[in-house]
Amino acid sequence: MVICYSESENIKQLFENAPDLQVSLVNSQENLASAIVEGSHPVGVFIQLEDLNERWSGFISSLKKCYPLLTLYLILPEEQIAAAEKAGYQVFGLNDESLLDKVTRELVSVHDQDKRKHPRFDWPLMGKLDLPGRPPEKFRVRSISSSGAFMESEDYFPEVDNRGTVVITFHDFSLLSGCRITGKRAISENLPSGFGVEFTDLTQTSIEIIEEMVEDELLRTLLEPDKPARPPSISG
């Protein structure tokens, strides 16, 4: 699925009538945030703007931080393309006659890339990992979802499929779960080096609590990007 926010009726019709795309059109920044957070893991998000102003720049920066693996594209007037590309955005021209063909080709190229099953959020959290043969070690948790977490590490990377337990401390509670090491990730633009852990025995209640907290905080952060992230609590 593709999510598209557009201020142009022509672009809306272009995406709506695209034969090879399943498109969800939204008409406000709030609806766009909700569609991303609560939706079914879009292949790509397209944001068409007449002016990439400060409000939208803050939203997009927050979106890239919260969803580092999400494929995001801007569709802008010709005079704004160079500045947006210099800022690191992937950009299509608003008046490009072959826009739909370029969009379709681009989506085919990203379709098989790594996508997360659940939304993740970068909270200021610490985790303690306990694996056989090693003393428990603390790591900064750089992202978390109901399916697992990403642990920041510069020099220690456990073997894939190693199993143990992990404790992640929130504001007024701790999450304890069995875990499986899912692999090393090299440093990138959006994340430091580290490794993933998959939660293996969370109860359904725990999964639902984490998913609700993550979605609530994602929405708050996308729509209020100037406010710092805060460790969540059961009481909210």
Side-chain angles (χ1 to χ4, degrees), residues 55-168:
R55 177 171 175 263
W56 274 104
S57 293
F59 177 90
I60 292 166
S61 295
S62 183
L63 180 61
K64 290 176 70 176
K65 179 182 178 181
C66 293
Y67 287 90
L69 301 178
L70 181 65
T71 308
L72 173 66
Y73 305 94
L74 302 184
I75 303 174
L76 298 173
E78 196 69 32
E79 63 271 16
Q80 296 193 34
I81 291 178
E85 289 181 334
K86 187 176 180 180
Y89 297 122
Q90 298 186 70
V91 188
F92 292 101
L94 177 59
N95 298 317
D96 190 334
E97 294 183 357
S98 58
L99 175 61
L100 185 58
D101 288 339
K102 290 181 178 179
V103 165
T104 303
R105 287 199 301 271
E106 182 66 25
L107 290 176
V108 169
S109 72
V110 303
H111 183 72
D112 293 328
Q113 291 182 8
D114 183 20
K115 303 295 178 201
R116 301 300 178 192
K117 294 179 181 179
H118 303 277
R120 294 180 171 236
F121 191 71
D122 188 355
W123 268 311
L125 302 175
M126 290 299 296
K128 182 184 289 186
L129 181 66
D130 190 355
L131 295 176
R134 293 183 65 96
E137 296 180 70
K138 291 184 178 181
F139 297 92
R140 185 182 177 199
V141 178
R142 286 303 307 266
S143 67
I144 186 171
S145 75
S146 61
S147 63
F150 179 80
M151 309 289 229
E152 181 176 347
S153 177
E154 296 181 356
D155 51 16
Y156 172 57
F157 305 97
E159 291 187 14
V160 175
D161 289 333
N162 267 8
R163 292 178 180 267
T165 58
V166 63
V167 178
I168 297 176

Side-chain angles (χ1 to χ4, degrees), residues 1 3 26 30-42 45 47 59 63 67 70 72 119 218-219 222:
M1 182 187 71
I3 298 174
V26 295
E30 291 75 13
N31 289 343
L32 176 58
S34 295
I36 294 169
V37 172
E38 300 169 3
S40 56
H41 320 298
V45 173
I47 301 176
F59 177 90
L63 180 61
Y67 287 90
L70 181 65
L72 173 66
L218 282 168
L219 279 172
L222 290 176

